[in-house]
Amino acid sequence: MKKQSRSFEIALSAIACAVGALALTMGSYVRFLLAAGYLIAVFALMVPLAKGKIFGFFLAYAGSVILALLFTGFVLGVMQILPFIVFFGLHPLANYLQKKYVRKPLLHGALYLVKAAWFDLSLWLAWIVLEEFLGLRELTWYPYVENSFFVILFVGGTLFFAVYDYMIFLCQRATDAIIRRIGR
C-alpha cells in the first residue's frame, strides 16, 4: 500500500474543516438545525480518522471551531458551540483511540464510564453557561428542574450517551468503509 503524503492529509482535513465549519455555522443561525449541525460536523471530523490521520483530525477540529466562531460572532458562537467544543468534537477521537488501542473488555467498560462522565460534565457546563445567558431562573418550571437537576442530568445523560456512543461507533465504521474506497 502506498504511503499517504502530508498534503493528502491536509487536503482531507481541509474538506472536513469546511464541512464542519459550515454545519456549525448554519446550526448557529438556524436554531432547530443546531443538533443536526453538531452531527454533520462530527461526521466530517470522522473523515481524517478513517484514514488514521490524528494530526489531520486536530487540524479539522481546530479549523472548524475557529471558523464557526468567526462566522457567528465570538460571544454568541461560544454559547451555541460550547457542547461541540467541549465534547462532541473530541468524541470521535476518543472512540478512534479506544477502537485502535483497547483490547480488553474490562477496559472498554471503564472507558465507557469515563466518557459518560465526560459527557455528563459537558452537559452540566453547557447548562451553567446557558442558564446565565438565557435567564432560565425566571421560568415557572425551573424549581422542579432545580430540585431534581442532577438526577435528570446524570441518569438521563448517561442513558442518552449509551445510545449515542454506540451509534457513533457504527457511524465511524460506515465512514471507514466509504473512505476506504478513496484510492490514495
Side-chain angles (χ1 to χ4, degrees), residues 12 15-16 42-52 172 175 179 182:
L12 200 61
I15 293 168
V42 165
F43 293 154
L45 291 177
M46 289 180 185
V47 171
L49 292 176
K51 286 292 190 179
Q172 182 66 54
T175 304
I179 298 299
I182 295 176

Side-chain angles (χ1 to χ4, degrees), residues 5 30 35 40 43 54 60 82 85 87 92 107-108 112 119 126 133 135 138 146 163-164 170 179:
S5 65
V30 183
I40 292 169
F43 293 154
I54 294 175
L82 183 66
I85 294 170
F87 178 77
L107 284 177
H108 279 288
Y112 168 76
F119 178 73
F133 180 70
E138 289 82 28
E146 188 174 18
V163 174
Y164 176 78
L170 293 179
I179 298 299

Side-chain angles (χ1 to χ4, degrees), residues 7-24 40-49 51 56-57 59-61 63-64 67 179 182 184:
S7 61
F8 176 76
E9 180 177 10
I10 292 171
L12 200 61
S13 301
I15 293 168
C17 173
V19 171
L22 181 66
L24 289 173
I40 292 169
V42 165
F43 293 154
L45 291 177
M46 289 180 185
V47 171
L49 292 176
K51 286 292 190 179
F57 168 83
L59 284 176
Y61 171 73
S64 296
L67 286 174
I179 298 299
I182 295 176
R184 294 188 72 159

Side-chain angles (χ1 to χ4, degrees), residues 19-20 22-24 26-28 30-44 84:
V19 171
L22 181 66
L24 289 173
M26 290 302 293
S28 294
V30 183
R31 297 282 180 160
F32 68 88
L33 292 179
L34 187 59
Y38 284 0
L39 286 176
I40 292 169
V42 165
F43 293 154
F84 182 82

